[in-house]
Amino acid sequence: MVFETLIGQLSVVITFAFGALLIVLYPLINKENKYFAWFSLMMGIIVLLLLLWFTLGNEVIRHQILKYGLH
């Protein structure tokens, strides 16, 4: 039970970090290739939106977040 919770929390953190990394790298990549930079920005936004959709779209997870917080 503890490992399932830990794995769930780590997967959310890793996914959030990956999406944020794609967005943060936009200015650095934009100097080299504008098309790849826009692709990176769009993929970062899509990753973060999908993470929010999967997390908050599930009734059970949403109820647990509202009841217990994001511990």
Side-chain angles (χ1 to χ4, degrees), residues 46-65:
I46 288 171
V47 165
L48 292 180
L49 289 176
L50 283 174
L51 177 66
L52 287 174
W53 182 50
F54 286 138
T55 304
L56 299 177
N58 188 337
E59 273 187 46
V60 175
I61 296 174
R62 185 173 54 237
H63 175 69
Q64 288 180 347
I65 289 173

Side-chain angles (χ1 to χ4, degrees), residues 4-63:
E4 292 173 359
T5 304
L6 181 62
I7 290 171
Q9 289 175 343
L10 283 175
S11 65
V12 168
V13 168
I14 290 170
T15 306
F16 181 77
F18 180 68
L21 178 67
L22 288 173
I23 293 173
V24 168
L25 286 178
Y26 170 75
L28 296 173
I29 299 172
N30 197 23
K31 295 177 184 176
E32 300 297 325
N33 188 345
K34 291 185 187 252
Y35 298 113
F36 188 66
W38 278 106
F39 178 75
S40 173
L41 180 67
M42 291 298 125
M43 287 299 110
I45 291 171
I46 288 171
V47 165
L48 292 180
L49 289 176
L50 283 174
L51 177 66
L52 287 174
W53 182 50
F54 286 138
T55 304
L56 299 177
N58 188 337
E59 273 187 46
V60 175
I61 296 174
R62 185 173 54 237
H63 175 69

